[in-house]
Amino acid sequence: MKRKIFLILVVMFLNFSFVGCGEKYYGKIKIGVTLGNFEDTFILSLKNYIDSYVKSEYADEVEVVFADAKDDDCIQIGQVENFIAQQVNVVIILPVNTERTDPMTLACKEAKIPVVYLNREPRKLGDYVFYIGSDEKQAGKLQGEYIAKALNGKGNIAILMGQLDTESTFKRTEGVEEAVRDYPNIKIVKKQTGNWKKSLSMYITKHWFLSGSKIDAIISNNDEMAIGAIRYLEGAGKLDKTKILGIDATLDAIADLEAERITATVFQNGKVQAEGAVDKAVKVVKGESVDQITWIPFQLVTKDIYKDIVVR
């Protein structure tokens, strides 16, 4: 009898690890969604994907409440606390700072509310916490491998980095560095954070070139910063001598790809990420079994093949 009770408790514990409390919920599901910054083109697209997907697939059973964290982790923590006060059933978070997710995770755990992290992976997850996104290092490796071949194994590259408190910045940069390590004649001559922003990266690129740096290619951690670099180089008449690579395959980046202003980008399937986050959130609340981590692969995008890859 004791052995039977022990086995039942083990099964209950495993269910908690992957499905929350394992209790089924049959009412209308309320999802609180806090995203890093609505001014970021890619993040805004995630918001729109979530909104349209809920309306088309879960119109009668799901309500979504959105919050813009405005690139402030303190604001985001407050938004999660507000969601808890509103008694949402589940929270989706694209964190401002992947180093400061613990307070949000803990607050939700204490309130017995499951969490789905989206796009930016926290350092740790734990029970009752889920993630859907892409392997950030893979994106950097795709950039590095492409530029090494495009430069015939020789040249100077600069890297525009994202925010220094996000895991994706370091992993994407590491991916580039690892990919070009096998090419001794390729040098990384500049690395600087543009904070994911177009205007700042434009200023940084201007400073690099006015200081006399010889740069054959600029590899950016996202498309917004790549576009900022393009805008300066185009105005300075230097774009035809500099290859530019980004990540995200945003609509603006694809337009620059078509016009041959950007050399290549890396497609991050935000639509699949956003819809997958909603599906995961709904299933967890309903007590259904889901994978704790879901990886969505990146794909290199050039002018020749973008129509076969990028689906809007």
Side-chain angles (χ1 to χ4, degrees):
M1 181 66 181
K2 289 182 178 179
R3 178 176 174 82
K4 184 176 181 182
I5 293 172
F6 173 77
L7 289 174
I8 291 172
L9 289 173
V10 169
V11 171
M12 288 175 65
F13 174 77
L14 291 174
N15 283 340
F16 179 85
S17 297
F18 294 95
V19 193
C21 292
E23 297 177 359
K24 294 185 180 298
Y25 180 81
Y26 298 98
K28 188 163 188 176
I29 296 170
K30 189 172 185 179
I31 304 176
V33 180
T34 170
L35 305 177
N37 185 356
F38 288 1
E39 291 184 1
D40 181 283
T41 303
F42 182 74
I43 292 176
L44 181 61
S45 73
L46 292 176
K47 174 185 180 293
N48 293 335
Y49 287 139
I50 290 171
D51 190 43
S52 60
Y53 187 60
V54 167
K55 288 176 179 175
S56 64
E57 300 297 323
Y58 295 103
D60 297 326
E61 55 181 317
V62 173
E63 175 188 354
V64 179
V65 180
F66 289 102
D68 179 0
K70 300 184 184 299
D71 266 343
D72 188 321
D73 55 350
C74 292
I75 290 176
Q76 189 163 55
I77 292 169
Q79 289 169 344
V80 171
E81 291 172 346
N82 188 43
F83 288 152
I84 293 170
Q86 293 180 50
Q87 297 184 323
V88 301
N89 302 103
V90 59
V91 177
I92 294 175
I93 303 172
L94 190 157
V96 170
N97 184 343
T98 53
E99 299 288 336
R100 290 199 63 198
T101 57
D102 285 355
M104 296 184 290
T105 300
L106 182 59
C108 290
K109 183 177 180 179
E110 290 177 346
K112 296 184 178 180
I113 296 173
V115 181
V116 178
Y117 281 100
L118 167 65
N119 183 256
R120 295 178 183 171
E121 184 185 9
R123 282 296 178 94
K124 61 181 180 179
L125 296 177
D127 296 335
Y128 219 20
V129 184
F130 305 83
Y131 176 71
I132 182 167
S134 300
D135 181 354
E136 303 293 355
K137 187 177 283 189
Q138 181 198 16
K141 284 183 176 180
L142 289 171
Q143 289 179 310
E145 290 164 358
Y146 179 86
I147 204 62
K149 293 175 183 177
L151 294 177
N152 296 314
K154 183 178 181 180
N156 293 338
I157 66 175
I159 302 177
L160 284 166
M161 301 172 66
Q163 289 176 205
L164 297 182
D165 55 10
T166 57
E167 190 78 358
S168 56
T169 292
F170 293 102
K171 287 187 175 180
R172 291 177 183 185
T173 302
E174 285 175 12
V176 175
E177 292 169 336
E178 286 184 13
V180 302
R181 201 168 288 157
D182 295 332
Y183 299 86
N185 293 319
I186 290 183
K187 309 294 183 185
I188 298 174
V189 295
K190 295 287 182 182
K191 279 198 307 185
Q192 193 166 342
T193 176
N195 274 346
W196 306 119
K197 300 184 185 301
K198 189 187 302 180
S199 57
L200 181 55
S201 65
M202 184 175 179
Y203 171 80
I204 291 169
T205 305
K206 178 180 179 180
H207 176 74
W208 284 345
F209 279 86
L210 291 181
S211 66
S213 298
K214 185 183 184 305
I215 298 172
D216 301 297
I218 295 176
I219 296 181
S220 172
N221 284 169
N222 77 341
D223 283 339
E224 284 289 280
M225 294 187 296
I227 291 169
I230 288 168
R231 297 300 174 258
Y232 167 71
L233 292 169
E234 192 172 36
K238 300 177 184 291
L239 186 57
D240 61 334
K241 299 177 182 178
T242 313
K243 299 184 186 302
I244 309 292
L245 280 75
I247 294 175
D248 287 335
T250 62
L251 291 175
D252 288 342
I254 294 302
D256 277 334
L257 192 68
E258 289 178 318
E260 299 184 348
R261 289 187 290 265
I262 195 169
T263 309
T265 183
V266 178
F267 178 44
Q268 181 173 198
N269 201 325
K271 186 173 188 290
V272 172
Q273 287 185 17
E275 294 179 356
V278 173
D279 288 337
K280 198 181 286 281
V282 170
K283 287 179 180 179
V284 168
V285 173
K286 288 183 175 181
E288 299 177 20
S289 179
V290 298
D291 293 331
Q292 186 174 35
I293 297 177
T294 303
W295 295 110
I296 309 300
F298 282 104
Q299 292 175 280
L300 183 74
V301 182
T302 62
K303 184 183 178 182
D304 296 334
I305 62 172
Y306 80 91
K307 290 181 180 179
D308 297 326
I309 296 176
V310 182
V311 180
R312 298 294 177 188

